[in-house]
Amino acid sequence: MTTPGPYPPVHPEEPGAHTPAPVQPGWQPQQYPVSGPLPAQPYAAVPVPYPMLRTSGLCVAGMVVGILALLGFWIPFGDVLMGLLAIGLSWAGMTQAAKPGFTGRGMGIAGLICGILAIIPAIVVMALFFTAATAVTTCGAFC
């Protein structure tokens, strides 16, 4: 048994069962136009890739030499040369990193600081070296 719903049951045996529903006056079913392919949509502008920045090799070399000079402060002559080389390379690298298309200014600053900090104990060690060398030559082995 079926439960009665809000609509009357449709019996196919009845002659009026297949008649269309009455249409209100003035109402027309909307005709959708048959459309062809959609017009081409313009593509969004392709972004231009940002130019690749190059790290200044002089900055990297200055930082590496500055760190080596800082570690080798006990070498009398070599450390002063390495410190001066680190300062020169870092300075040139910072000048190069200031140009467009280059990076690495921070490494140049680090190399400059390491080079300066390496020269200070190197000068002290060289002074002690020359003092010890002159003491041995003037006094001999009996001082």
Side-chain angles (χ1 to χ4, degrees):
M1 180 146 170
T2 61
T3 58
Y7 302 107
V10 177
H11 299 289
E13 300 88 30
E14 296 179 10
H18 297 290
T19 59
V23 178
Q24 296 177 353
W27 181 81
Q28 295 291 326
Q30 186 168 355
Q31 296 289 325
Y32 294 106
V34 176
S35 65
L38 294 174
Q41 298 294 323
Y43 290 106
V46 176
V48 177
Y50 190 74
M52 294 295 294
L53 298 176
R54 297 184 308 186
T55 303
S56 172
L58 293 171
C59 287
V60 174
M63 185 180 69
V64 168
V65 172
I67 291 171
L68 290 175
L70 200 58
L71 292 175
F73 71 92
W74 51 273
I75 304 170
F77 297 108
D79 190 50
V80 173
L81 292 175
M82 286 192 337
L84 291 174
L85 184 63
I87 290 171
L89 285 172
S90 297
W91 191 272
M94 287 182 359
T95 304
Q96 185 182 26
K99 294 179 183 177
F102 284 97
T103 61
R105 187 166 184 249
M107 287 186 281
I109 292 171
L112 187 67
I113 291 172
C114 287
I116 291 170
L117 289 178
I119 285 181
I120 295 169
I123 291 174
V124 172
V125 167
M126 271 185 44
L128 292 174
F129 178 76
F130 284 128
T131 305
T134 56
V136 169
T137 57
T138 57
C139 290
F142 302 109
C143 272

